[in-house]
Amino acid sequence: MNLYRRRKLVNRFNMTAAVATTLFGLFWLAWLLWTLIGHGIGYIDWSVFTQPTPPPGGSGGLSNAIVGSLIVTAVGTLIGAPIGILAGTYLAEYGRGHKIGALVRFFNDVLLSAPSIILGLFVYEIIVVSMGHFSALAGGIALSLIVIPLNVRITENMMALVPDTLREAAAALGIPRWKIITRIVYRAALSGIVTGIILGVARIAGETAPLLFTALNNNFFSTDLLQPIANLPIMIFQFALSPYEDWHHLAWVGAFLITFAILALNILVRLVLRPNK
């Protein structure tokens, strides 16, 4: 009886601690979202989406920064996601127990934990210095180095969860291995792989440090991948530090747009990929 009471007490303590820590985290998240809503939503109008960033004291919006962020994020995702998925496929299907696979995992873990500013400095030295100027392409490549290790890890884990019995059954029917991977394993792990891509987008959408060394910024509207380009993270950084009240408002609007765009994207993906009951 004493043992039962002790276990019950421990269980209650653990449940209470789990609920308390969850509420603690949700409290700060709710406070953050409420702060963004309070400071940002009141200054959103059509000019935010149709006019470029203004000079001090002038009127304007964030159209160039919004388009620039979409371009740089798209470039980083289009470069990083396929590489990460293919590397994760190799580790899950061919690299089990191999020394090369273990080496790839080690370097992937190092890249996954590398500070983003170091990746930006690396791309600056390799690409920006070689080209002689900043560019959106360099910014996208820097962001892709953040996406790659994340997608490698998630893809490998999701594909490893697919039972080997499915692979063995398909192989017994004479199906080639590449078809087993593309037609069976990928389909079974699709929701996890897509979630990994979305997490990669969420990870790089607000990155500032790599873009300071690569894409820099542009006060004018530009879609040229080989030229500096405006983007929301750097715009928020510059406007928040400025002494101008109207720029502070635009910084809050930019932070609101980034946060709630990623939140809406995650919710949409979860709804679309939710299994039918």
Side-chain angles (χ1 to χ4, degrees):
M1 192 66 177
N2 291 334
L3 181 60
Y4 171 75
R5 289 180 178 177
R6 179 183 175 186
R7 288 179 176 178
K8 194 173 182 179
L9 181 62
V10 171
N11 179 68
R12 287 180 178 177
F13 174 80
N14 290 337
M15 288 295 296
T16 303
V19 172
T21 52
T22 301
L23 292 177
F24 181 77
L26 291 176
F27 168 76
W28 294 107
L29 176 61
W31 193 354
L32 172 64
L33 295 178
W34 180 255
T35 302
L36 289 175
I37 293 173
H39 288 81
I41 197 171
Y43 298 98
I44 295 180
D45 53 31
W46 283 113
S47 64
V48 171
F49 304 98
T50 58
Q51 298 181 16
T53 50
S59 60
L62 303 173
S63 63
N64 57 331
I66 293 173
V67 173
S69 286
L70 291 175
I71 291 175
V72 174
T73 302
V75 171
T77 304
L78 291 175
I79 294 175
I83 296 175
I85 292 173
L86 292 176
T89 301
Y90 166 78
L91 293 178
E93 299 297 323
Y94 301 97
R96 300 183 186 181
H98 292 181
K99 292 183 178 180
I100 296 179
L103 190 63
V104 172
R105 289 187 188 91
F106 171 76
F107 283 108
N108 185 75
D109 291 341
V110 172
L111 187 60
L112 187 63
S113 60
S116 60
I117 193 171
I118 302 300
L119 302 178
L121 184 60
F122 170 76
V123 176
Y124 170 82
E125 187 67 26
I126 299 299
I127 297 179
V128 176
V129 173
S130 300
M131 295 177 64
H133 57 83
F134 300 95
S135 67
L137 179 61
I141 293 174
L143 295 181
S144 72
L145 296 180
I146 301 174
V147 174
I148 289 174
L150 183 63
N151 277 264
V152 170
R153 174 66 65 83
I154 293 177
T155 300
E156 181 187 6
N157 290 341
M158 291 300 102
M159 295 181 68
L161 292 176
V162 178
D164 286 336
T165 52
L166 291 178
R167 299 177 177 87
E168 294 168 358
L173 295 174
I175 301 176
R177 190 165 188 180
W178 67 271
K179 277 192 176 182
I180 295 175
I181 296 173
T182 56
R183 301 290 182 86
I184 298 176
V185 180
Y186 275 167
R187 288 187 180 182
L190 178 61
S191 115
I193 294 174
V194 172
T195 301
I197 296 174
I198 300 303
L199 288 176
V201 173
R203 175 71 173 81
I204 65 176
E207 279 292 343
T208 305
L211 300 181
L212 284 171
F213 290 95
T214 53
L216 196 60
N217 200 5
N218 193 338
N219 292 326
F220 304 98
F221 191 92
S222 174
T223 57
D224 190 351
L225 293 180
L226 299 180
Q227 296 298 326
I229 197 169
N231 54 88
L232 281 173
I234 292 183
M235 185 280 302
I236 294 171
F237 173 75
Q238 293 179 342
F239 280 18
L241 295 180
S242 72
Y244 309 109
E245 189 68 21
D246 53 340
W247 280 14
H248 291 172
H249 297 328
L250 286 177
W252 280 111
V253 171
F256 175 87
L257 292 177
I258 286 181
T259 302
F260 281 88
I262 297 302
L263 179 62
L265 188 60
N266 277 276
I267 293 174
L268 177 63
V269 170
R270 289 181 180 274
L271 291 176
V272 171
L273 297 178
R274 183 175 56 184
N276 296 324
K277 295 183 179 180

